[in-house]
């Protein structure tokens, strides 16, 4: 039995019938652009302390936003949505989720994939928005083999150089040092086979990379286009459906460079609304697919689920 089959079999045995009942709910949402199908697959959720997201914000201005969206100030539970793009022969995953070693509520991408007509062997490309744990720690299985063995793995050159730099672990803030160690360990496993790209490049037919730095030093968003129809995969450059839209100018506690992150967020939201694009966000609700409406200097996320 292949290692991957062994892991799959033991996982199903452990989950039993409960896993089967969850599978249909893990294929969240989808949209079609010409001959291109875009779906989001759930990797589960995160559980974050409210202070991590809200603690540094002006509390008097924050309060009405929390009330408007019925948010819990003490705890944040964002979805994790891995994007699957199917176009011709290409079956492309954007990010691979958290794997089994980050949070117990995350790392569900393989269960979600079971709810489609695809297997890990069918994925032709894995493209990373950035190398934070909930996006890249699912790269390897428990035997340290790539989970998607036939895929070409692709990442922005700036992002790669940052996490592979041996000095990053010493220069990053202490609370993120595990992020640096985890990213370097996993990226090292594909070092001889990874492909790089830069801002503005069409990395696959109909898929172009857009620099969206700030959340990480080399974070990338991706425009998926078919004719006049387009959607933007924003990763974590727009990390929630409330504060990030209502006050995109506010600094986000999840961004490594908050000032750059805010400028990126404003520019992306402006482009998405001006060009009437749909957007797909890793942590946006109801599968993360929707559209954006401008309201003066703020915006609103409209879920398409």
């Amino acid at each position: 039995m292949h290692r991957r089959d062994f892991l799959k079999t033991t996982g199903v045995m452990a989950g039993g019938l409960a896993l089967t009942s969850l599978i249909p709910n893990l294929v969240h949402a989808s949209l079609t652009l010409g001959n291109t199908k875009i779906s989001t697959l759930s990797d589960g959720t995160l559980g974050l302390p409210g202070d991590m997201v809200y603690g540094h914000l002006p509390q008097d201005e924050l309060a009405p936003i929390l009330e408007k969206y019925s948010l819990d100030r003490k705890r944040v539970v964002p979805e994790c949505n891995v994007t699957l793009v199917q176009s011709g022969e290409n079956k492309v995953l954007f990010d691979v989720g958290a794997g089994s070693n980050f949070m117990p509520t995350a790392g569900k991408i393989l269960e979600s994939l079971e709810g489609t007509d695809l297997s890990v062997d069918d994925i032709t490309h894995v493209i990373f928005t950035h190398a934070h744990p909930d996006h890249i720690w699912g790269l390897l299985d428990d035997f340290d083999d790539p989970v998607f063995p036939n895929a070409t793995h692709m990442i922005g050159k700036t992002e790669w150089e940052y996490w592979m730099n041996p000095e990053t672990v010493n220069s990053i803030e202490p609370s993120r040092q595990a992020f640096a160690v985890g990213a370097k360990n996993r990226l090292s496993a594909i070092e001889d086979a990874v492909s790089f790209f830069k801002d503005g490049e069409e990395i696959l037919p109909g898929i172009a990379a857009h620099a969206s730095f700030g959340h990480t030093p080399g974070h990338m968003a991706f425009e998926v286009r078919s004719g006049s129809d387009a959607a933007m995969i924003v990763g974590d450059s727009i990390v929630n459906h409330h504060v990030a839209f209502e006050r995109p100018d506010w600094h986000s506690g999840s961004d490594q460079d908050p000032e750059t992150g805010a400028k990126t967020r404003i520019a992306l939201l402006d482009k998405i609304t001006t060009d009437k694009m749909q957007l797909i966000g890793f942590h946006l609700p109801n599968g993360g697919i929707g559209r954006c409406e401008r309201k003066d200097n703020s915006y609103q996320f409209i879920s398409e689920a």
Side-chain angles (χ1 to χ4, degrees), residues 28 41-46 78-82 106 134 282-284:
H28 267 330
L41 309 179
S42 176
D43 194 55
T45 61
L46 302 181
E79 294 180 11
C80 298
N81 304 303
V82 174
D134 50 331
F282 193 85
H283 293 302
L284 298 182

Side-chain angles (χ1 to χ4, degrees), residues 175-213:
S175 64
R176 298 177 189 258
Q177 286 180 333
F179 292 13
V181 173
K184 191 172 189 300
N185 286 347
R186 286 158 179 82
L187 293 175
S188 294
I190 58 171
E191 187 168 10
D192 295 332
V194 69
S195 296
F196 303 113
F197 54 83
K198 295 180 180 179
D199 176 36
E201 292 184 9
E202 184 177 47
I203 58 177
L204 288 173
I207 300 176
H210 287 267
S212 48
F213 302 165

